[in-house]
Short mmCIF file of all heavy atoms in Angstrom, two decimals:
data_model
loop_
_atom_site.label_atom_id
_atom_site.label_comp_id
_atom_site.label_asym_id
_atom_site.label_seq_id
_atom_site.Cartn_x
_atom_site.Cartn_y
_atom_site.Cartn_z
N GLY A 631 -5.31 10.75 2.74
CA GLY A 631 -6.25 11.54 3.29
C GLY A 631 -5.73 12.50 4.44
O GLY A 631 -4.57 12.28 4.87
N GLY A 632 -6.64 13.33 4.89
CA GLY A 632 -6.11 14.27 5.86
C GLY A 632 -5.88 13.69 7.14
O GLY A 632 -5.09 14.22 8.00
N THR A 633 -6.59 12.66 7.59
CA THR A 633 -6.39 12.04 8.83
C THR A 633 -5.85 10.66 8.78
O THR A 633 -5.20 10.11 9.66
CB THR A 633 -7.85 11.92 9.59
OG1 THR A 633 -8.71 11.14 8.72
CG2 THR A 633 -8.35 13.28 9.85
N LYS A 634 -5.92 9.98 7.65
CA LYS A 634 -5.42 8.60 7.46
C LYS A 634 -5.03 8.30 6.14
O LYS A 634 -5.56 9.03 5.09
CB LYS A 634 -6.33 7.45 8.03
CG LYS A 634 -7.53 7.40 7.21
CD LYS A 634 -8.49 6.19 7.75
CE LYS A 634 -9.83 6.00 6.88
NZ LYS A 634 -10.59 4.98 7.42
N ALA A 635 -4.10 7.44 5.94
CA ALA A 635 -3.66 7.03 4.57
C ALA A 635 -3.88 5.52 4.31
O ALA A 635 -3.54 4.79 5.36
CB ALA A 635 -2.04 7.47 4.36
N ILE A 636 -4.25 5.18 3.29
CA ILE A 636 -4.66 3.83 2.94
C ILE A 636 -3.88 3.41 1.72
O ILE A 636 -3.89 4.02 0.62
CB ILE A 636 -6.18 3.65 2.77
CG1 ILE A 636 -6.93 3.93 3.92
CG2 ILE A 636 -6.40 2.24 2.44
CD1 ILE A 636 -8.41 4.01 3.83
N ALA A 637 -3.23 2.30 1.77
CA ALA A 637 -2.60 1.69 0.64
C ALA A 637 -3.31 0.41 0.28
O ALA A 637 -3.68 -0.36 1.27
CB ALA A 637 -1.19 1.36 0.86
N VAL A 638 -3.65 0.13 -0.98
CA VAL A 638 -4.20 -1.10 -1.40
C VAL A 638 -3.49 -1.69 -2.58
O VAL A 638 -2.78 -0.92 -3.31
CB VAL A 638 -5.79 -0.75 -1.78
CG1 VAL A 638 -6.51 -0.39 -0.51
CG2 VAL A 638 -5.77 0.20 -2.80
N ILE A 639 -3.75 -2.98 -2.81
CA ILE A 639 -3.29 -3.58 -4.09
C ILE A 639 -4.48 -4.56 -4.54
O ILE A 639 -5.16 -5.19 -3.75
CB ILE A 639 -2.04 -4.44 -3.92
CG1 ILE A 639 -1.55 -4.94 -5.28
CG2 ILE A 639 -2.20 -5.51 -2.84
CD1 ILE A 639 -0.15 -5.39 -5.35
N GLY A 640 -4.76 -4.61 -5.85
CA GLY A 640 -5.85 -5.31 -6.21
C GLY A 640 -6.00 -5.30 -7.68
O GLY A 640 -5.16 -4.83 -8.54
N ARG A 641 -7.19 -5.85 -8.18
CA ARG A 641 -7.47 -5.94 -9.59
C ARG A 641 -8.87 -5.59 -9.83
O ARG A 641 -9.73 -6.07 -9.11
CB ARG A 641 -7.18 -7.37 -9.94
CG ARG A 641 -7.84 -7.80 -11.39
CD ARG A 641 -7.62 -9.19 -11.72
NE ARG A 641 -6.25 -9.63 -12.24
CZ ARG A 641 -5.51 -10.62 -11.78
NH1 ARG A 641 -6.14 -11.42 -10.88
NH2 ARG A 641 -4.41 -10.94 -12.36
N GLY A 642 -9.05 -4.51 -10.75
CA GLY A 642 -10.47 -4.11 -10.90
C GLY A 642 -10.98 -3.53 -9.64
O GLY A 642 -10.34 -2.69 -8.96
N SER A 643 -12.09 -4.04 -9.11
CA SER A 643 -12.74 -3.60 -7.94
C SER A 643 -12.46 -4.57 -6.80
O SER A 643 -13.02 -4.58 -5.68
CB SER A 643 -14.21 -3.49 -8.06
OG SER A 643 -14.88 -4.65 -8.36
N THR A 644 -11.42 -5.64 -6.97
CA THR A 644 -11.14 -6.57 -5.85
C THR A 644 -9.84 -6.13 -5.26
O THR A 644 -8.78 -6.02 -5.91
CB THR A 644 -11.03 -7.93 -6.59
OG1 THR A 644 -12.15 -8.37 -7.23
CG2 THR A 644 -10.72 -8.93 -5.60
N ILE A 645 -10.02 -5.99 -3.95
CA ILE A 645 -8.80 -5.43 -3.13
C ILE A 645 -8.23 -6.73 -2.54
O ILE A 645 -8.91 -7.47 -1.87
CB ILE A 645 -9.19 -4.47 -2.04
CG1 ILE A 645 -9.62 -3.19 -2.79
CG2 ILE A 645 -8.03 -4.26 -1.20
CD1 ILE A 645 -10.13 -2.18 -1.85
N PHE A 646 -7.00 -7.01 -2.92
CA PHE A 646 -6.35 -8.15 -2.22
C PHE A 646 -5.90 -8.04 -0.82
O PHE A 646 -6.03 -8.74 -0.01
CB PHE A 646 -5.05 -8.50 -3.06
CG PHE A 646 -5.45 -8.90 -4.56
CD1 PHE A 646 -4.38 -8.62 -5.52
CD2 PHE A 646 -6.60 -9.37 -5.02
CE1 PHE A 646 -4.63 -9.03 -6.85
CE2 PHE A 646 -6.77 -9.61 -6.34
CZ PHE A 646 -5.84 -9.45 -7.22
N GLU A 647 -5.13 -6.77 -0.70
CA GLU A 647 -4.69 -6.44 0.62
C GLU A 647 -4.72 -4.88 0.70
O GLU A 647 -4.59 -4.15 -0.12
CB GLU A 647 -3.11 -6.88 0.76
CG GLU A 647 -2.79 -8.39 0.76
CD GLU A 647 -1.39 -8.62 0.91
OE1 GLU A 647 -0.86 -8.16 1.97
OE2 GLU A 647 -0.68 -9.31 0.09
N SER A 648 -4.83 -4.53 2.06
CA SER A 648 -4.82 -3.14 2.34
C SER A 648 -4.21 -2.76 3.72
O SER A 648 -4.13 -3.68 4.50
CB SER A 648 -6.23 -2.47 2.26
OG SER A 648 -6.91 -2.90 3.39
N ILE A 649 -3.57 -1.57 3.91
CA ILE A 649 -3.18 -1.16 5.17
C ILE A 649 -3.71 0.28 5.41
O ILE A 649 -4.00 1.06 4.44
CB ILE A 649 -1.70 -1.13 5.31
CG1 ILE A 649 -0.98 -0.17 4.35
CG2 ILE A 649 -1.03 -2.57 5.14
CD1 ILE A 649 0.34 0.21 4.70
N SER A 650 -3.84 0.67 6.63
CA SER A 650 -4.22 1.99 6.93
C SER A 650 -3.36 2.52 8.06
O SER A 650 -3.16 1.75 9.08
CB SER A 650 -5.72 2.01 7.45
OG SER A 650 -6.16 3.38 7.78
N ILE A 651 -2.89 3.78 7.91
CA ILE A 651 -2.02 4.40 8.92
C ILE A 651 -2.51 5.77 9.16
O ILE A 651 -3.05 6.36 8.24
CB ILE A 651 -0.54 4.40 8.60
CG1 ILE A 651 -0.32 5.21 7.13
CG2 ILE A 651 0.01 2.92 8.30
CD1 ILE A 651 1.10 5.42 6.74
N PRO A 652 -2.22 6.37 10.31
CA PRO A 652 -2.60 7.79 10.52
C PRO A 652 -1.61 8.67 9.56
O PRO A 652 -0.53 8.36 9.38
CB PRO A 652 -2.17 7.93 11.99
CG PRO A 652 -2.16 6.66 12.59
CD PRO A 652 -1.70 5.81 11.53
N THR A 653 -2.24 9.69 8.98
CA THR A 653 -1.56 10.63 8.32
C THR A 653 -0.85 11.68 9.36
O THR A 653 -1.41 12.56 9.93
CB THR A 653 -2.46 11.49 7.41
OG1 THR A 653 -3.19 10.67 6.57
CG2 THR A 653 -1.68 12.64 6.58
N ALA A 654 0.45 11.25 9.53
CA ALA A 654 1.18 12.08 10.46
C ALA A 654 2.06 13.16 9.65
O ALA A 654 1.53 13.70 8.77
CB ALA A 654 2.08 11.18 11.30
N GLY A 655 3.24 13.32 9.97
CA GLY A 655 4.20 14.23 9.31
C GLY A 655 4.53 13.57 7.91
O GLY A 655 4.37 12.34 7.65
N PRO A 656 4.90 14.46 6.96
CA PRO A 656 5.12 13.87 5.61
C PRO A 656 6.24 12.81 5.40
O PRO A 656 5.86 11.80 4.80
CB PRO A 656 5.62 15.07 4.74
CG PRO A 656 4.92 16.23 5.58
CD PRO A 656 4.97 15.92 6.96
N ALA A 657 7.34 12.95 6.08
CA ALA A 657 8.42 12.00 6.07
C ALA A 657 7.95 10.68 6.60
O ALA A 657 8.15 9.68 5.98
CB ALA A 657 9.60 12.56 6.77
N GLU A 658 7.30 10.66 7.73
CA GLU A 658 6.94 9.53 8.37
C GLU A 658 5.82 8.73 7.58
O GLU A 658 5.99 7.54 7.39
CB GLU A 658 6.40 9.78 9.84
CG GLU A 658 5.85 8.62 10.55
CD GLU A 658 5.22 9.02 11.90
OE1 GLU A 658 5.33 10.23 12.31
OE2 GLU A 658 4.56 8.15 12.48
N THR A 659 4.89 9.49 7.08
CA THR A 659 3.81 8.80 6.46
C THR A 659 4.22 8.27 5.06
O THR A 659 3.85 7.11 4.71
CB THR A 659 2.61 9.99 6.18
OG1 THR A 659 2.30 10.42 7.45
CG2 THR A 659 1.43 9.26 5.64
N LEU A 660 4.97 9.02 4.32
CA LEU A 660 5.39 8.46 3.11
C LEU A 660 6.36 7.43 3.14
O LEU A 660 6.34 6.51 2.32
CB LEU A 660 5.98 9.81 2.25
CG LEU A 660 5.00 10.84 1.81
CD1 LEU A 660 5.85 11.93 1.15
CD2 LEU A 660 4.04 10.37 0.85
N ALA A 661 7.20 7.52 4.18
CA ALA A 661 8.06 6.23 4.36
C ALA A 661 7.32 4.97 4.71
O ALA A 661 7.68 3.83 4.18
CB ALA A 661 9.06 6.49 5.50
N ALA A 662 6.27 5.13 5.49
CA ALA A 662 5.42 3.93 5.78
C ALA A 662 4.74 3.43 4.57
O ALA A 662 4.75 2.10 4.34
CB ALA A 662 4.48 4.33 6.94
N LEU A 663 4.25 4.29 3.82
CA LEU A 663 3.54 3.90 2.50
C LEU A 663 4.45 3.18 1.62
O LEU A 663 4.23 2.19 0.86
CB LEU A 663 2.85 5.01 2.02
CG LEU A 663 1.55 5.61 2.66
CD1 LEU A 663 1.32 6.96 2.11
CD2 LEU A 663 0.50 4.61 2.69
N ALA A 664 5.63 3.77 1.39
CA ALA A 664 6.70 3.23 0.51
C ALA A 664 7.13 1.96 0.96
O ALA A 664 7.41 1.07 0.07
CB ALA A 664 7.88 4.36 0.43
N SER A 665 7.24 1.70 2.24
CA SER A 665 7.71 0.49 2.69
C SER A 665 6.72 -0.66 2.16
O SER A 665 7.02 -1.78 1.86
CB SER A 665 7.93 0.38 4.20
OG SER A 665 8.16 -0.83 4.64
N GLN A 666 5.25 -0.27 2.45
CA GLN A 666 4.35 -1.31 2.05
C GLN A 666 4.36 -1.58 0.57
O GLN A 666 4.24 -2.64 0.06
CB GLN A 666 2.99 -0.95 2.49
CG GLN A 666 1.89 -1.80 2.30
CD GLN A 666 2.18 -3.24 3.00
OE1 GLN A 666 2.25 -3.30 4.16
NE2 GLN A 666 2.31 -4.18 2.16
N LEU A 667 4.42 -0.49 -0.22
CA LEU A 667 4.59 -0.57 -1.65
C LEU A 667 5.67 -1.49 -2.07
O LEU A 667 5.56 -2.20 -2.99
CB LEU A 667 4.52 0.72 -2.35
CG LEU A 667 3.30 1.67 -2.13
CD1 LEU A 667 3.46 2.95 -3.09
CD2 LEU A 667 2.11 0.93 -2.58
N ASP A 668 6.78 -1.28 -1.44
CA ASP A 668 7.98 -2.18 -1.84
C ASP A 668 7.70 -3.51 -1.55
O ASP A 668 8.08 -4.47 -2.37
CB ASP A 668 9.16 -1.61 -1.04
CG ASP A 668 10.40 -2.29 -1.45
OD1 ASP A 668 10.76 -2.39 -2.52
OD2 ASP A 668 11.17 -2.88 -0.41
N VAL A 669 7.07 -3.98 -0.44
CA VAL A 669 6.57 -5.36 -0.21
C VAL A 669 5.78 -5.84 -1.29
O VAL A 669 6.00 -6.90 -1.80
CB VAL A 669 6.04 -5.41 1.19
CG1 VAL A 669 5.52 -6.84 1.40
CG2 VAL A 669 7.00 -5.15 2.31
N TRP A 670 4.78 -5.15 -1.69
CA TRP A 670 3.84 -5.54 -2.70
C TRP A 670 4.36 -5.75 -4.00
O TRP A 670 4.11 -6.65 -4.87
CB TRP A 670 2.67 -4.60 -2.68
CG TRP A 670 1.70 -4.83 -1.56
CD1 TRP A 670 1.59 -6.00 -0.73
CD2 TRP A 670 0.78 -3.90 -1.11
NE1 TRP A 670 0.56 -5.75 0.21
CE2 TRP A 670 0.04 -4.55 0.01
CE3 TRP A 670 0.36 -2.64 -1.57
CZ2 TRP A 670 -0.94 -3.81 0.84
CZ3 TRP A 670 -0.61 -1.94 -0.71
CH2 TRP A 670 -1.30 -2.58 0.26
N ALA A 671 5.38 -4.74 -4.38
CA ALA A 671 6.16 -4.82 -5.60
C ALA A 671 6.89 -6.14 -5.85
O ALA A 671 6.91 -6.69 -6.80
CB ALA A 671 7.04 -3.61 -5.77
N ARG A 672 7.45 -6.53 -4.64
CA ARG A 672 8.22 -7.82 -4.70
C ARG A 672 7.33 -8.99 -4.85
O ARG A 672 7.50 -10.06 -5.53
CB ARG A 672 9.05 -7.95 -3.53
CG ARG A 672 10.12 -6.85 -3.48
CD ARG A 672 10.82 -6.86 -2.03
NE ARG A 672 11.64 -5.66 -1.87
CZ ARG A 672 12.92 -5.62 -2.32
NH1 ARG A 672 13.49 -6.60 -2.92
NH2 ARG A 672 13.62 -4.55 -2.16
N ARG A 673 6.08 -8.96 -4.15
CA ARG A 673 5.27 -10.12 -4.00
C ARG A 673 4.26 -10.29 -5.32
O ARG A 673 4.01 -11.37 -5.64
CB ARG A 673 4.44 -10.02 -2.86
CG ARG A 673 3.44 -11.20 -2.52
CD ARG A 673 2.65 -10.96 -1.33
NE ARG A 673 3.41 -10.69 -0.10
CZ ARG A 673 2.98 -9.97 0.97
NH1 ARG A 673 1.65 -9.78 1.02
NH2 ARG A 673 3.74 -9.72 1.98
N TRP A 674 3.71 -9.07 -5.77
CA TRP A 674 2.68 -9.14 -6.70
C TRP A 674 3.08 -8.56 -8.08
O TRP A 674 2.43 -8.79 -9.07
CB TRP A 674 1.43 -8.23 -6.33
CG TRP A 674 0.75 -8.75 -5.03
CD1 TRP A 674 1.10 -8.40 -3.78
CD2 TRP A 674 -0.24 -9.58 -5.02
NE1 TRP A 674 0.21 -9.05 -2.86
CE2 TRP A 674 -0.57 -9.91 -3.61
CE3 TRP A 674 -0.96 -10.45 -5.94
CZ2 TRP A 674 -1.54 -10.81 -3.20
CZ3 TRP A 674 -1.84 -11.28 -5.54
CH2 TRP A 674 -2.16 -11.46 -4.16
N GLN A 675 4.20 -7.90 -8.21
CA GLN A 675 4.71 -7.20 -9.47
C GLN A 675 3.52 -6.39 -10.11
O GLN A 675 3.19 -6.62 -11.24
CB GLN A 675 5.13 -8.32 -10.46
CG GLN A 675 6.48 -9.01 -10.09
CD GLN A 675 6.25 -10.09 -9.10
OE1 GLN A 675 5.30 -11.01 -9.36
NE2 GLN A 675 6.95 -10.17 -8.07
N PRO A 676 3.05 -5.44 -9.43
CA PRO A 676 1.89 -4.66 -9.84
C PRO A 676 2.45 -3.84 -11.16
O PRO A 676 3.63 -3.46 -11.25
CB PRO A 676 1.55 -3.57 -8.87
CG PRO A 676 2.74 -3.61 -7.89
CD PRO A 676 3.44 -4.94 -7.96
N GLN A 677 1.46 -3.45 -11.96
CA GLN A 677 1.74 -2.83 -13.27
C GLN A 677 1.60 -1.43 -13.21
O GLN A 677 2.22 -0.64 -14.03
CB GLN A 677 0.88 -3.39 -14.38
CG GLN A 677 1.08 -4.77 -14.63
CD GLN A 677 0.12 -5.30 -15.73
OE1 GLN A 677 -0.05 -4.61 -16.83
NE2 GLN A 677 -0.48 -6.42 -15.58
N ALA A 678 1.07 -0.84 -12.21
CA ALA A 678 0.82 0.70 -12.13
C ALA A 678 0.42 1.09 -10.68
O ALA A 678 0.29 0.23 -9.90
CB ALA A 678 -0.27 1.16 -13.08
#
């Protein structure tokens, strides 16, 4: 979003975990999101 970014992992409409960070500069924001996705990829093995 324009003011904050939210990452979630879940199934259907059930959200297992989520994080919210301010939408700052592109490099900073995308790096923080990528870091969380990497953690979830190892823990949950999401399909998409």
